[in-house]
Amino acid sequence: MYKKLIFLMLLLSATGHFCIAQKVIEYKTWNPVNEKTSVVGGQGWHSGLKDYYDRLPAKAEQTARKVVWNLSKNSTGLNLRFKSNAAEIVVRYQVTGPVQMSHMPATGVSGLDLYAKGPDGQWLWSAGKYSFGDTLVYRFTGLESADLKERTYTLFLPLYNAVKWMEISVPKQSAFTPLAPVAQKPIVVYGTSIAQGACASRPGMGWTNILSRKLDAPVINLAFSGNGRMEKEIVELLPEIDARLYVLDCLPNLTGEAFTNEIIKQKIEDAVAHLQSKKPGVPILLTEHDGYTDGGINQERTKAYERVNAVLKATFAALKAKGIKNIYYLSKAEINQDIDTMVDGTHPNDIGMMRYADAYEKVIRKIK
Amino acid sequence: MYKKLIFLMLLLSATGHFCIAQKVIEYKTWNPVNEKTSVVGGQGWHSGLKDYYDRLPAKAEQTARKVVWNLSKNSTGLNLRFKSNAAEIVVRYQVTGPVQMSHMPATGVSGLDLYAKGPDGQWLWSAGKYSFGDTLVYRFTGLESADLKERTYTLFLPLYNAVKWMEISVPKQSAFTPLAPVAQKPIVVYGTSIAQGACASRPGMGWTNILSRKLDAPVINLAFSGNGRMEKEIVELLPEIDARLYVLDCLPNLTGEAFTNEIIKQKIEDAVAHLQSKKPGVPILLTEHDGYTDGGINQERTKAYERVNAVLKATFAALKAKGIKNIYYLSKAEINQDIDTMVDGTHPNDIGMMRYADAYEKVIRKIK
């Protein structure tokens, strides 16, 4: 598939974005959409998509609520992998939504993150110079390697924006080989704004992306800000992905009064039953609400998360008592948030994201 | 001093910002500038100021470089303390600069952070609802306390913006008592963008503010983004503050070629000599560059911080060899940054800020 890569040669003037001193550098440019088969990592569906960087298949537009469908176009959890020996990698792209939020910077909402594997298999990271104009540009430089002929890179896409198109350019003489997504059964996460990545400072710090690096394993992010409601129409899509583990982390979006204890219990039971009927033997991890970090002052906030966690705990215990196997539990205590791990009391900062990733890593390594 | 508080009564309409359902609430409003003596915590000078929330005295405008003077108007490290039993605290203020940066959200650049002491002396945190309009508003609600008659609050001011004015309102019937700054000798930090707070997600996560909470001690922030160059005109101001410890954390702004090894060495020696001549016996902590977290890929970046750290290490060793006492050292290894602790390879995210605070806490607890 890589033999038929379409490389566009770009001759960029010394006055343009790609100027290095007075030297004119010729670049070759790769656009992933021109590949015969999808090269998007962290994507649950590689065919039947409406747009290239979507997280749900086109058919979901008919079944999912409109807001869920729209959020599924945010590229959180998606990545592009490639090998290159280039000293410079330039990524140009456009997004569809506002580039930043008041509590989450542009680098997290709309930015990119470039990680690489070092000679000993350890993760390395490159600091891109970014500009958030009409076209967004990330420019990674100083990538020469004394230790490796070519590095294997993973480029994480924006957490809270949709990518319209993306092109990656390297100097013409550099090697550049797109890589297929990691060929392992993925962990599939159905979650809320937190799992979508609010409010990480950059894409690599969303907890599902941290987890994928910690485990060296693909994680598929099906998290929808404010709308991870453990809904039938989403749950029914999950078994289409041949997962090694399903994570249901929806409680932060079920604290509203409309979601009575009985409704939450039913949602959990239905989700577990459906997944186990379609994917017998595949473990399911049920996650508590991680709390509100202003709960030490605001008692109402504490009550809200304690209620839903009590429902999950009781429902989980009842399922276990009925002999349901392959279900696992991640508690608020294990996630271990505190007053300095969130930006607004609801959404983790990078500390809180790392706490999530650490907790997930620990419990997942024990499963099977 | 508190008897002469000027409380303005504000009757706010049910259609205004302060609307709670249909109930009309009367507020009383406090403006710190009306106090006879300054109530601004974390401020090195309480008199001789040009503007109320400045970090340097007015006379510094004549001696400091213009950019340093301008940055000294950013309110990083400043705080307001008060006791209150109010269920709701509303802070209105205006700032002079852009509310956000691409790699640092508005909540960090221009936002506020409200911490409180719980019944057992532990720190608590309140999540404000914010709006970043022409006038910025933070509204803290649900503050009723079952355990305490009144809570003691610390309100941290914006890290990367200057406060033009600020007013704090509570319901008219609530108790509200401004508190004087903590009466302890402060730790004085002379630093760069990192110590100024880039890129914390909110003011409480700047490392000097984290440190002040960890130690329950005042920390005065004299950090100037891109301009913490260990300059004579700033060093000469430091002894005017009756400090328990001076921290010189300027190396991240001394990596440029203009700062030769000899110049850096001279700056360190001069700063130590000046502080010890004016404040004999007061310890000085010298801090290494914490590194660039893309240094694993970009060798040039690694060389840059290794050079300045080698100079500091050698200079420190030479000072010790000469018998200079009361100087201490904080190394890059102790600060312990890694690829996931910065947003752009230079500026810590909240994880990196916590690493700094942890490292400083550890070394400072050993001093004296």
Side-chain angles (χ1 to χ4, degrees):
Chain A
M1 97 194 208
Y2 301 130
K3 289 179 186 165
K4 296 191 181 171
L5 270 184
I6 297 173
F7 276 115
L8 304 173
M9 303 305 156
L10 289 180
L11 181 61
L12 293 147
S13 85
T15 55
H17 264 108
F18 299 80
C19 164
I20 294 179
Q22 293 306 307
K23 205 170 135 195
V24 175
I25 298 180
E26 282 186 77
Y27 291 82
K28 58 187 178 186
T29 295
W30 175 60
N31 187 326
V33 300
N34 295 322
E35 294 295 316
K36 292 283 184 207
T37 58
S38 176
V39 289
V40 180
Q43 199 173 36
W45 291 263
H46 287 303
S47 59
L49 294 171
K50 183 168 183 180
D51 291 307
Y52 191 73
Y53 296 101
D54 285 356
R55 291 185 293 146
L56 288 178
K59 63 184 177 187
E61 190 171 6
Q62 309 308 317
T63 54
R65 286 181 296 121
K66 187 169 172 54
V67 62
V68 173
W69 170 252
N70 290 341
L71 286 163
S72 79
K73 304 186 89 59
N74 287 355
S75 56
T76 184
L78 303 186
N79 63 73
L80 296 169
R81 296 171 67 244
F82 48 88
K83 287 176 74 169
S84 182
N85 63 359
E88 180 189 12
I89 295 172
V90 183
V91 188
R92 297 169 66 249
Y93 60 112
Q94 283 188 308
V95 294
T96 62
V99 295
Q100 61 200 349
M101 297 192 282
S102 292
H103 61 338
M104 185 168 170
T107 47
V109 170
S110 310
L112 301 174
D113 238 348
L114 187 64
Y115 285 74
K117 281 290 183 145
D120 304 319
Q122 81 279 27
W123 285 102
L124 301 172
W125 179 79
S126 175
K129 300 287 180 211
Y130 42 76
S131 68
F132 294 96
D134 179 47
T135 293
L136 292 74
V137 182
Y138 265 70
R139 207 161 157 269
F140 303 92
T141 59
L143 306 176
E144 302 86 346
S145 174
D147 305 324
L148 290 169
K149 281 187 184 162
E150 292 186 87
R151 271 201 204 92
T152 299
Y153 289 98
T154 301
L155 182 75
F156 292 102
L157 304 194
L159 298 174
Y160 259 74
N161 224 324
V163 174
K164 278 156 88 169
W165 58 266
M166 179 171 287
E167 290 181 346
I168 303 180
S169 301
V170 296
K172 190 180 167 184
Q173 73 284 4
S174 303
F176 183 91
T177 312
L179 296 176
V182 175
Q184 285 179 36
K185 287 190 181 190
I187 294 162
V188 175
V189 177
Y190 179 21
T192 70
S193 55
I194 297 169
Q196 188 177 335
C199 291
S201 67
R202 49 183 174 82
M205 298 309 295
W207 74 251
T208 68
N209 287 337
I210 301 174
L211 183 66
S212 76
R213 294 196 302 278
K214 282 176 177 285
L215 297 175
D216 263 317
V219 177
I220 289 175
N221 186 316
L222 298 176
F224 309 103
S225 184
N227 288 279
R229 296 184 185 167
M230 223 183 283
E231 291 170 310
K232 187 167 178 284
E233 58 270 26
I234 302 300
V235 169
E236 288 182 347
L237 288 170
L238 303 184
E240 295 186 11
I241 306 170
D242 189 16
R244 73 183 248 204
L245 170 70
Y246 294 104
V247 175
L248 300 175
D249 187 350
C250 292
L251 262 57
N253 283 167
L254 297 174
T255 55
E257 285 179 18
F259 303 107
T260 62
N261 292 0
E262 188 49 45
I263 288 172
I264 296 172
K265 177 171 174 277
Q266 197 64 53
K267 279 176 178 282
I268 298 164
E269 288 175 352
D270 289 352
V272 169
H274 185 77
L275 291 173
Q276 294 206 329
S277 73
K278 297 288 183 183
K279 289 285 182 184
V282 177
I284 300 167
L285 176 57
L286 295 154
T287 304
E288 283 192 356
H289 191 305
D290 65 332
Y292 298 123
T293 57
D294 56 328
I297 285 183
N298 190 325
Q299 298 303 313
E300 290 307 310
R301 298 262 286 169
T302 301
K303 283 180 203 160
Y305 70 74
E306 285 182 344
R307 177 181 76 90
V308 297
N309 283 349
V311 175
L312 179 62
K313 194 168 187 176
T315 307
F316 184 83
L319 289 169
K320 293 293 277 186
K322 275 199 273 184
I324 304 290
K325 297 203 188 313
N326 298 315
I327 55 172
Y328 298 86
Y329 200 84
L330 182 59
S331 70
K332 173 182 179 296
E334 290 168 299
I335 302 169
N336 190 31
Q337 304 293 1
D338 66 42
I339 60 165
D340 286 335
T341 69
M342 295 194 186
V343 62
D344 59 356
T346 301
H347 298 103
N349 57 17
D350 288 350
I351 300 176
M353 286 293 174
M354 190 57 77
R355 298 264 173 107
Y356 258 109
D358 286 341
Y360 270 109
E361 181 191 14
K362 200 169 167 189
V363 67
I364 289 170
R365 286 196 187 279
K366 285 186 203 155
I367 295 175
K368 282 192 169 176
Chain B
M1 99 193 207
Y2 301 130
K3 288 177 186 167
K4 295 192 180 171
L5 270 184
I6 297 173
F7 277 115
L8 303 173
M9 304 305 157
L10 288 180
L11 182 61
L12 293 147
S13 85
T15 56
H17 265 108
F18 299 79
C19 165
I20 294 179
Q22 293 305 307
K23 205 170 135 195
V24 175
I25 299 180
E26 282 185 78
Y27 291 82
K28 57 186 178 187
T29 294
W30 175 60
N31 187 327
V33 300
N34 294 322
E35 294 295 315
K36 291 283 184 206
T37 58
S38 176
V39 289
V40 179
Q43 199 172 36
W45 292 263
H46 287 302
S47 59
L49 294 171
K50 182 168 183 181
D51 291 306
Y52 191 73
Y53 296 102
D54 286 355
R55 290 185 293 146
L56 288 178
K59 63 184 177 187
E61 191 171 7
Q62 309 307 318
T63 54
R65 287 180 297 121
K66 188 169 172 54
V67 62
V68 173
W69 170 252
N70 289 341
L71 286 163
S72 80
K73 303 186 88 61
N74 287 355
S75 56
T76 184
L78 303 187
N79 63 73
L80 296 169
R81 296 171 67 244
F82 47 88
K83 287 176 73 170
S84 182
N85 63 0
E88 180 189 12
I89 296 171
V90 183
V91 188
R92 297 168 67 249
Y93 60 112
Q94 283 188 309
V95 294
T96 62
V99 295
Q100 61 201 349
M101 297 192 282
S102 291
H103 60 339
M104 185 168 169
T107 47
V109 170
S110 310
L112 301 174
D113 238 348
L114 187 64
Y115 285 74
K117 281 289 183 148
D120 304 318
Q122 81 280 26
W123 286 103
L124 301 171
W125 180 78
S126 175
K129 300 288 180 209
Y130 41 76
S131 68
F132 294 95
D134 179 47
T135 294
L136 292 74
V137 182
Y138 266 70
R139 208 160 156 269
F140 303 91
T141 58
L143 306 176
E144 302 85 345
S145 174
D147 305 323
L148 291 169
K149 281 185 184 163
E150 292 185 87
R151 270 201 204 92
T152 299
Y153 289 98
T154 301
L155 182 75
F156 292 102
L157 303 194
L159 299 174
Y160 259 74
N161 223 324
V163 174
K164 278 156 89 169
W165 59 266
M166 180 171 286
E167 291 181 345
I168 303 180
S169 301
V170 295
K172 190 180 167 184
Q173 73 283 3
S174 302
F176 183 91
T177 312
L179 296 176
V182 174
Q184 286 180 36
K185 287 191 181 189
I187 294 162
V188 175
V189 177
Y190 179 21
T192 70
S193 55
I194 297 169
Q196 188 178 334
C199 291
S201 68
R202 49 184 173 82
M205 298 309 295
W207 75 252
T208 68
N209 287 337
I210 301 174
L211 183 66
S212 76
R213 294 196 303 278
K214 282 176 177 285
L215 297 175
D216 263 318
V219 178
I220 289 174
N221 186 316
L222 297 176
F224 308 103
S225 185
N227 288 280
R229 298 184 184 168
M230 223 183 283
E231 291 170 310
K232 187 167 179 281
E233 58 270 26
I234 301 300
V235 169
E236 287 182 348
L237 288 169
L238 303 184
E240 295 186 11
I241 306 170
D242 189 16
R244 74 182 247 205
L245 169 71
Y246 295 104
V247 175
L248 301 176
D249 188 350
C250 292
L251 262 57
N253 283 168
L254 296 174
T255 56
E257 285 179 18
F259 303 107
T260 62
N261 293 359
E262 188 50 45
I263 288 173
I264 296 172
K265 176 171 175 277
Q266 197 64 53
K267 279 176 177 282
I268 297 164
E269 289 175 352
D270 289 352
V272 169
H274 185 77
L275 291 173
Q276 294 206 330
S277 73
K278 297 288 182 183
K279 289 286 181 184
V282 177
I284 300 167
L285 176 57
L286 295 155
T287 305
E288 283 192 357
H289 191 305
D290 65 333
Y292 298 124
T293 57
D294 56 329
I297 285 184
N298 191 326
Q299 298 303 313
E300 289 307 310
R301 298 262 286 169
T302 300
K303 284 179 204 160
Y305 69 74
E306 285 182 345
R307 176 181 76 90
V308 296
N309 283 349
V311 176
L312 179 62
K313 194 169 186 175
T315 307
F316 184 83
L319 289 169
K320 292 293 277 186
K322 274 199 275 186
I324 304 290
K325 298 203 188 312
N326 297 315
I327 55 172
Y328 298 86
Y329 200 84
L330 182 60
S331 70
K332 173 182 178 296
E334 290 168 299
I335 302 168
N336 190 31
Q337 304 293 1
D338 66 43
I339 60 165
D340 286 336
T341 69
M342 294 195 187
V343 62
D344 60 355
T346 301
H347 298 103
N349 57 17
D350 288 350
I351 299 176
M353 286 293 174
M354 190 58 76
R355 297 265 173 105
Y356 258 110
D358 286 342
Y360 270 109
E361 181 190 14
K362 200 169 167 188
V363 68
I364 289 171
R365 286 196 187 279
K366 285 185 203 156
I367 295 174
K368 283 192 169 177

